[in-house]
Amino acid sequence: MSGAPKLSICDTTLRDGNHAVAHQLGRADISAYARAAEAAGVDVVEVGHGNGLGASSIQVGMAALSDAEMLRAAKAELRTARLGALSIPGFASVERDLKPALDCGVDEVRVGAHCTEADVTRQQITMLRAMGVTVKGMLLMSHMASAAKLVEQARLMQSYGAEAVVLMDSAGAYTPEKVREKVGELVENLDIAVGFHAHNNLGMSVVNSMTAIQAGATIVDVTARGFGAGAGNAPIELVAANLHVDQVESGIQLFGALDAADVAQERFVKHVPTNDSVTIASGIAGVFSGFAAPVRRASARFGVDPRRILLELGNRRVVAGQEDIIIEVAMSLAADQVLSQV
């Protein structure tokens, strides 16, 4: 990897990981893990509700702490690592959420949108860039779009002022071949950095992250013990180990990453994310990993196989923000079951 740009590691344990505990990370947990991530040498520590700034709500889950409380707790522990936040237009607004977050010491914001709707990020990206804030674009559910479409959408984010574009494998549906194709196309056709955010529904989070690096990505997201929605994310400890073996240059310290993962497991990772029939079905169906918990609840309520719910959600190409359709699908499948028994 000699001569390649230095890899940037974004640790999303305190944001994506919040999904795994219904957004109930506490102040002491955030402070302890932020210290560990700082010691591990990660470049960015992303903090907040699992769905980003302004997302705490009855619909997607009430957080234990406010955005400001979470951000300030982490910021107090960071010296070298940058404090990051996720903003998804629709959840986050400029005046109510973004500006207060910057007042809490946020160093960079990643503005996300569905992979075919980059235009909705224009206001936030241009405003943040004008303010001198580091801003990156994120294309959610990126497995749902072709490489050509992703290039088109990423170029829009680049034109708005984004300093990087990150492909989100929100459903854990990517294979290494698709990672290589799509990351490679972005690297070839953009003038800014490209990143990759993996989920583990098909057991591919680490190999997909390493494949993204081989294809030219210079930003990779990780979480401690893979702590995240559904089957979890690319574990910091395993990515760090593979970077060490492959001699990929980054600021992350191997033993520090191993220690950070231990801290997380001791404090708040009550169940290490793993694959089960529900998360695997989610990956096959290409359904947002964060749907696993509400699908399980709907399954129990209506007596319907959760895998059937997920496959139907995949058929309907449902995306994050359409959680209400889970109930609709479960009710419809339950009615079909009753009719089939008549």
Side-chain angles (χ1 to χ4, degrees), residues 169 172 174-176 196 198-209:
D169 183 15
Y174 268 83
T175 61
F196 189 74
H199 276 261
N200 201 43
N201 298 62
L202 298 179
M204 295 288 188
S205 65
V206 176
V207 70
N208 281 345
S209 297

Side-chain angles (χ1 to χ4, degrees), residues 71-330:
L71 292 169
R72 290 194 179 109
K75 184 67 175 181
E77 307 299 333
L78 304 182
R79 300 295 179 268
T80 303
R82 298 165 61 78
L83 178 62
L86 170 65
S87 177
I88 299 177
F91 284 129
S93 67
V94 170
E95 296 298 329
R96 186 193 66 217
D97 306 300
L98 270 174
K99 289 184 177 179
L102 296 176
D103 290 339
C104 293
V106 166
D107 298 298
E108 74 168 55
V109 178
R110 303 204 290 185
V111 182
H114 183 64
C115 60
T116 59
E117 299 174 358
D119 59 312
V120 305
T121 67
R122 181 172 186 170
Q123 179 196 24
Q124 292 192 10
I125 291 176
T126 54
M127 181 210 74
L128 289 164
R129 190 60 185 274
M131 295 173 66
V133 178
T134 298
V135 58
K136 299 170 183 175
M138 301 187 79
L139 293 173
L140 312 180
M141 299 290 285
S142 63
H143 71 283
M144 298 179 73
S146 67
K149 187 67 174 180
L150 292 173
V151 168
E152 170 194 286
Q153 297 295 298
R155 280 176 168 167
L156 286 177
M157 289 178 159
Q158 176 178 279
S159 73
Y160 304 152
E163 297 164 71
V165 172
V166 179
L167 292 184
M168 300 282 283
D169 183 15
S170 313
Y174 268 83
T175 61
E177 291 76 16
K178 286 297 183 183
V179 173
R180 189 173 293 108
E181 174 197 1
K182 293 182 178 182
V183 169
E185 283 294 311
L186 261 65
V187 169
E188 184 175 341
N189 289 283
L190 297 182
D191 299 321
I192 55 178
V194 175
F196 189 74
H197 174 106
H199 276 261
N200 201 43
N201 298 62
L202 298 179
M204 295 288 188
S205 65
V206 176
V207 70
N208 281 345
S209 297
M210 298 306 295
T211 300
I213 294 166
Q214 294 164 7
T218 54
I219 301 166
V220 168
D221 288 4
V222 296
T223 64
R225 292 290 190 267
F227 191 57
N233 299 60
I236 186 174
E237 64 275 17
L238 291 177
V239 171
N242 279 274
L243 295 177
H244 176 77
V245 169
D246 286 353
Q247 298 184 347
V248 178
E249 182 183 359
S250 76
I252 199 165
Q253 304 298 312
L254 175 59
F255 284 5
L258 299 177
D259 290 343
D262 289 343
V263 166
Q265 185 162 355
E266 289 165 7
R267 294 198 63 96
F268 51 77
V269 181
K270 306 306 180 186
H271 302 285
V272 175
T274 188
N275 299 96
D276 60 21
S277 60
V278 172
T279 63
I280 293 169
S282 177
I284 292 170
V287 172
F288 173 48
S289 294
F291 279 6
V295 163
R296 291 180 201 274
R297 291 194 294 269
S299 168
R301 178 180 173 186
F302 295 100
V304 178
D305 189 325
R307 297 166 297 186
R308 292 184 62 207
I309 297 174
L310 286 162
L311 292 176
E312 179 58 25
L313 291 171
N315 289 337
R316 298 190 186 193
R317 298 177 67 81
V318 172
V319 299
Q322 296 180 308
E323 283 80 358
D324 54 323
I325 298 179
I326 295 172
I327 298 298
E328 177 189 332
V329 167

